[in-house]
């Protein structure tokens, strides 16, 4: 049933109705739609635009509809044009004339703009809470492995020694920024478009501040055209979600590598891994691969929204109905990824002995070896060159800096003495890296405490 019958002589073509309808994806906003209508009706009555009797019938009717949808007693008609139309039609069927007064001084254009904001506000809260949970899992692990030495990489080449705790906390920092980005976008979104009406406000004496307050907005949108045309918040949120996915994807990529026999730095719990249909030995990190794969999907949602908006003249255009599938998909995807990733990470076992073995190869203490010469007064660039020659020599001889005899050191640079072996000991290399933000175990514990404080 369409609400806009009067002007039309024919029923809407069936295919066109299906094409036009958004109810299959906007019915998830039924609670928000009803809350928006309740606030609007209360305002209409407070301003003397509808009577108190109308208001009490509307309130009763809407609350009953909400309860009936919730309990499954009322099924949402799949042929309805959208959730707004459906609820208004149902209300009128239940209470008659008062139901027909609800839409006074309102348009679906400001109605949908309110609903989607209210809906996304809750979604932001959920993702925020999941990020908090993930950061807690990360910090607990980081504390546990504060002194587990592992190789740090650049260009996927072993570079310098770090600790596993330090590596994990890098992700905690990213996720803290993600929380900030999300709440920042949420706060910018939290202004009420209600009362913008179709595009040009209204001649009724409405009270926009009242509905805004009732619905928990921080204020009202100041321009009625902007009120109904703005979808910046969808784009900002999809962008914040894309960055979250990018972070989860990089983390996933590392876990995939760490699970391989080439690394074997970690072992995933059986409950969060899958097998192969033919290769009996396989244990695959599917969750992380799916997270990596689904990242593209969320980026796609962002691009959908940006492209949808770029050519739209003011004010509302039907193109904007496409906002919902994109932004809902982005939130659904991030939530399901986080909900799976969190317990997977929580139950993941680290294998510090293997990390340590990997750290022992690849000359990741070469910088420390050069620094030893610097301590003896050798300029860094000369120390760098001498150490490079030592590394080349070790590669030739098939040995390590730790094993190379002192006379070989001395042949390349006379300033070397016994002390070099202590300097290049991996634990000392890591323990000495106490510079702010560095990987030393006591730094890791301090960083973890700071993250926990910020994550409260
Ligand atoms: N289903 C529409 C949407 O999601 C609601 C707004 C319709 N407004 C209109 N003038 N047709 O955008």
């Amino acid at each position: 049933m369409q609400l806009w019958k009067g002007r039309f002589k024919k029923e809407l073509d069936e295919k066109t109705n299906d094409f036009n309808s958004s109810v299959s994806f906007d019915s998830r906003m039924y609670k928000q739609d009803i809350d928006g209508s309740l606030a609007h009706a209360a305002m209409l009555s407070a301003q003397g635009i509808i009577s108190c009797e109308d208001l009490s019938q509307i309130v009763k009717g809407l609350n009953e509809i909400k309860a009936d949808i919730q309990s499954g007693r009322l099924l949402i008609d799949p042929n309805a044009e959208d959730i707004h139309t459906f609820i208004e039609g149902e209300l009128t069927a239940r209470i008659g004339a008062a139901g027909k007064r609800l839409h006074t001084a309102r348009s679906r254009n400001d109605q949908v703009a309110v609903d989607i904001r209210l809906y996304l506000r809750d979604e932001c809260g959920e993702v925020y809470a999941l990020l908090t949970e993930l950061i807690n899992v990360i910090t607990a692990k980081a504390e546990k492995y504060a002194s587990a030495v592992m190789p740090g990489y650049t260009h996927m080449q072993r570079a310098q020694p770090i600790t596993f705790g330090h590596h994990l906390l890098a992700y905690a920092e990213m996720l803290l920024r993600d929380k900030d980005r999300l709440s920042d976008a949420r706060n910018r979104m939290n202004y009420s478009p209600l009362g913008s009406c179709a595009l040009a406000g209204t001649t009724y004496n409405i009270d926009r501040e009242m509905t805004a307050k009732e619905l928990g907005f921080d204020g009202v949108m100041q321009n009625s055209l902007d009120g109904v045309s703005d979808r910046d918040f969808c784009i900002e949120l999809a962008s914040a979600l894309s960055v979250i996915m990018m972070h989860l994807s990089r983390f996933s990529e590392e876990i995939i590598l760490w699970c391989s026999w080439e690394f074997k730095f970690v072992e995933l719990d059986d409950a969060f891994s899958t097998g192969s249909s033919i290769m009996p030995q396989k244990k695959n990190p599917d969750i992380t691969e799916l997270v990596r794969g689904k990242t593209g999907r969320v980026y796609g949602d962002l691009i959908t929204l940006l492209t949808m908006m770029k050519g739209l003249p003011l004010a509302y255009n039907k193109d904007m109905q496409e906002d919902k599938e994109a932004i809902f998909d982005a939130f659904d995807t991030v939530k399901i990824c986080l909900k799976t990733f969190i317990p997977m990470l929580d139950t993941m076992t680290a294998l510090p002995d293997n990390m340590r073995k990997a750290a022992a190869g690849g000359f990741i203490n070469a910088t420390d070896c050069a620094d030893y010469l610097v301590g003896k007064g050798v300029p860094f660039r000369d120390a760098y060159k001498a150490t490079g020659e030592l590394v080349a020599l070790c590669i030739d001889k098939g040995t390590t800096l730790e094993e190379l005899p002192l006379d070989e050191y001395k042949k390349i640079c006379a300033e070397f003495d016994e002390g070099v072996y202590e300097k290049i000991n991996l634990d000392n290399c890591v323990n000495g890296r106490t510079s702010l933000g560095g990987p030393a175990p006591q730094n890791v514990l301090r960083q973890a405490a700071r993250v926990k404080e910020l994550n409260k």
Side-chain angles (χ1 to χ4, degrees), residues 6-37:
R7 190 193 194 282
F8 293 81
K9 295 200 174 67
K10 278 187 181 175
E11 282 297 319
L12 187 62
D13 169 74
E14 207 182 301
K15 285 260 174 316
T16 305
N17 187 55
D18 291 347
F19 186 62
N20 191 46
S21 169
S22 54
V23 77
S24 62
F25 49 85
D26 65 17
S27 57
R28 61 162 88 189
M29 304 192 301
Y30 76 90
K31 270 198 219 99
Q32 289 76 13
D33 193 71
I34 289 174
D35 291 344
S37 288

Side-chain angles (χ1 to χ4, degrees), residues 116 124 161 268 375:
I116 187 165
C124 285
L268 292 179

Side-chain angles (χ1 to χ4, degrees), residues 22 26 81-82 84 108-109 112 316 318 320-321 324:
S22 54
D26 65 17
E81 187 175 345
D82 52 32
H84 328 292
R108 271 184 301 159
N109 298 349
V112 70
Y316 179 84
K318 192 72 173 216
M320 289 157 75
Q321 179 164 287
K324 281 169 280 302

